[in-house]
Amino acid sequence: MRLVSARLVLLAAVLVTVSACAQAIPGKPVAGEAVTKGTVDPGFIRGTDGGPIDQLAATAITDVDTFWQEAFPDTFDEPWQPIEGGIYSVDTADASAKPPPCTEKASDVEGNAFYCPSADAIAWDRAALLPVLKDRFGDAAVVIVLAHEMGHAVQNRMGITPEAERREPQRFPTILTEAMADCFAGAFIKWVNDDKSEHLDIGSDTLDSALGALITFRDPVGTSASDRSAHGNAFDRVSAFQDGYQQGTKFCAAMSTENRVFTQQAFTTEDDRDRGGNLPFDEMLENVTPDLNLYYKALVEQAGKQWTEPKSTPTEQEPDCSGDQGPVAYCPADKSVEFEVEADLPELHAEIGDYATGVLLASRYGMAAMAAVGVDLEGERAATSALCLAGAYTREVFTRQKGFGLSPGDLDEAVQVLLAYDYAARDATGSAALGPGFKRVEVFRGGVFEGIKACGLA
């Protein structure tokens, strides 16, 4: 978060193109479930060692190809043309390994997976990328990355070629083509979840973990959307994936700079850049709680009801005033908001960023607003409304001209905390929570893009 001057921060869509899509990434190992019902012989992959990683990759590539055999004619009214230039697995730890197309040496692939449009080929690093993805995010992360690369092959068949991108950079910026590939990957995963895939089975819990890979592939915080190398922040990338999952390939194919909203932004002050867009925990609380009060006061009074500012109460331990709501709780009995300041909340703040704190507080203040207008505070519907209201508040602070506003990276922090924890999506008793994380992000996005009308508060 930051304090902003009188400069309007817009949801901008001015964006453009690079070749490699993935890079070696940090992350904590997870116990990712296997997503294969049966593996495919990787013999068709050039340079394969026949091992488990390439078996998983071969399975993913095979089923993605089957998906496009069905989806491409339906989307573009033309037959699907399979990859002609080959599928390449590269052992970047082997100095003698042959380089795939679009590279001069095997080490050029290190930490990457990419589509080579000039050769119509897909390649990946089987030493330093795919096994890292598998270990840290589970098998589904490997599938999503390869589905994304196949999405670029689809774009090539649509006529979105490097020549077209160079000729019309404002029409086909990199951030748009990357979002489209994420969208195509989401459409494929929905097809898998609809049990249409012969070899893959990706459940919602597995998907939550795999989406962590998209978050780590985000651009460095503070990268401008107009940067020629911009691929998108985590919020935009997960949004594109979810849009593909929900809307399908025709929606993805129609994406353009005219109809696609991107939230990625550069730092506007040196102080914000030096802090990485994060306020210290105490300073965040000092600024966000009065801001939340003013936002929800206006919302409740607009509904013709009276707003009473919730008492803001720090606690040394997790609040227990009304069930288990996590490190921040709305307490209906005395209409207060309690927040834990010794362990969990400051730890989340330090680990994820200051807007992890902001989202949790915004959802509990949302509960206070719901109470003020007479909305039931119990059950999944209540949990959904509170989370949506946190998104609507986020919309407000993202677009305001002055005062308390979002920094680059804050929306990514929101995605991270929502995928990993259900705190912001619990009801006022803590007994009902919205899940999985994929759904929580979807509801939050509804508030961000549609505002209060998406939240069912009236």
Side-chain angles (χ1 to χ4, degrees):
M1 302 292 293
R2 70 182 187 279
L3 297 175
V4 295
S5 59
R7 172 179 177 175
L8 182 61
V9 182
L10 296 174
L11 295 173
V14 188
L15 317 155
V16 250
T17 340
V18 293
S19 54
C21 289
Q23 297 179 351
I25 37 80
K28 296 179 180 178
V30 299
E33 296 180 9
V35 300
T36 54
K37 301 183 228 179
T39 56
V40 172
D41 184 348
F44 67 91
I45 299 174
R46 302 183 189 185
T48 184
D49 64 352
I53 285 294
D54 279 352
Q55 289 175 16
L56 174 59
T59 304
I61 291 290
T62 297
D63 279 12
V64 176
D65 183 78
T66 299
F67 167 75
W68 282 112
Q69 288 175 32
E70 301 174 8
F72 198 88
D74 182 57
T75 306
F76 302 104
D77 200 27
E78 294 181 7
W80 168 247
Q81 300 297 327
I83 297 292
E84 296 181 351
I87 309 294
Y88 293 80
S89 172
V90 183
D91 182 0
T92 56
D94 182 358
S96 64
K98 294 181 179 180
C102 282
T103 67
E104 295 181 354
K105 54 188 182 301
S107 60
D108 292 341
V109 188
E110 187 172 358
N112 284 313
F114 64 89
Y115 169 70
C116 173
S118 61
D120 193 32
I122 290 176
W124 60 78
D125 177 0
R126 93 166 164 267
L129 178 67
L130 296 197
V132 175
L133 289 174
K134 176 181 168 65
D135 289 346
R136 294 178 179 171
F137 303 107
D139 289 4
V142 173
V143 175
I144 288 173
V145 166
L146 296 180
H148 172 101
E149 299 311 328
M150 189 71 87
H152 287 307
V154 173
Q155 292 169 345
N156 199 43
R157 286 149 176 77
M158 293 169 59
I160 305 178
T161 63
E163 293 74 19
E165 294 168 16
R166 285 192 292 269
R167 187 170 59 250
E168 300 180 88
Q170 296 306 311
R171 184 182 177 191
F172 301 118
T174 299
I175 201 167
L176 177 67
T177 58
E178 292 300 320
M180 189 182 293
D182 287 334
C183 189
F184 284 143
F188 166 69
I189 295 299
K190 179 61 165 62
W191 180 80
V192 173
N193 282 358
D194 286 344
D195 201 27
K196 296 179 180 179
S197 171
E198 180 180 355
H199 304 101
L200 295 170
D201 181 12
I202 298 176
S204 57
D205 292 341
T206 306
L207 182 57
D208 280 358
S209 176
L211 288 178
L214 281 184
I215 293 175
T216 60
F217 294 151
R218 64 183 176 179
D219 288 331
V221 174
T223 300
S224 170
S226 61
D227 191 304
R228 291 188 62 84
S229 65
H231 279 48
N233 61 17
F235 183 82
D236 291 341
R237 299 202 69 167
V238 171
S239 290
F241 182 92
Q242 289 194 323
D243 283 341
Y245 188 94
Q246 295 157 358
Q247 305 289 342
T249 55
K250 291 182 180 179
F251 177 92
C252 304
M255 288 170 59
S256 70
T257 53
E258 284 78 33
N259 62 27
R260 192 71 192 170
V261 173
F262 293 97
T263 65
Q264 183 155 309
Q265 59 183 232
F267 289 115
T268 57
T269 70
E270 289 186 7
D271 286 346
D272 202 28
R273 181 194 63 205
D274 292 344
R275 291 195 307 264
N278 286 307
L279 293 173
F281 182 66
D282 291 344
E283 189 175 344
M284 176 65 176
L285 293 176
E286 180 182 338
N287 283 281
V288 74
T289 48
D291 195 70
L292 286 164
N293 177 66
L294 290 174
Y295 173 77
Y296 285 113
K297 179 177 187 290
L299 187 155
V300 169
E301 291 180 349
Q302 188 176 21
K305 303 294 183 178
Q306 183 175 355
W307 170 258
T308 301
E309 180 177 356
K311 181 181 179 182
S312 182
T313 308
T315 63
E316 293 185 359
Q317 297 179 334
E318 186 173 287
D320 60 1
C321 63
S322 180
D324 181 9
Q325 298 178 52
V328 184
Y330 174 65
C331 310
D334 61 0
K335 298 181 180 179
S336 67
V337 174
E338 294 186 358
F339 48 90
E340 189 270 317
V341 294
E342 292 296 329
D344 289 350
L345 189 59
E347 286 175 5
L348 282 175
H349 187 101
E351 179 182 346
I352 297 176
D354 62 0
Y355 206 58
T357 300
V359 168
L360 300 190
L361 283 163
S363 75
R364 299 305 91 180
Y365 269 78
M367 281 282 177
M370 291 162 60
V373 300
V375 173
D376 190 359
L377 303 183
E378 296 186 23
E380 185 173 305
R381 185 172 180 179
T384 300
S385 292
L387 177 56
C388 180
L389 287 170
Y393 168 74
T394 301
R395 175 189 178 92
E396 158 69 17
V397 291
F398 188 82
T399 56
R400 65 172 42 146
Q401 292 178 279
K402 58 183 178 180
F404 192 59
L406 292 194
S407 293
D410 282 344
L411 284 168
D412 292 2
E413 292 160 9
V415 170
Q416 288 176 271
V417 76
L418 293 176
L419 282 175
Y421 303 94
D422 67 3
Y423 299 142
R426 295 185 185 180
D427 72 357
T429 68
S431 59
L434 183 66
F438 187 84
K439 179 65 175 179
R440 294 193 290 270
V441 173
E442 177 189 342
V443 169
F444 178 79
R445 287 178 58 228
V448 171
F449 288 122
E450 300 178 44
I452 191 66
K453 65 181 181 181
C455 304
L457 187 64

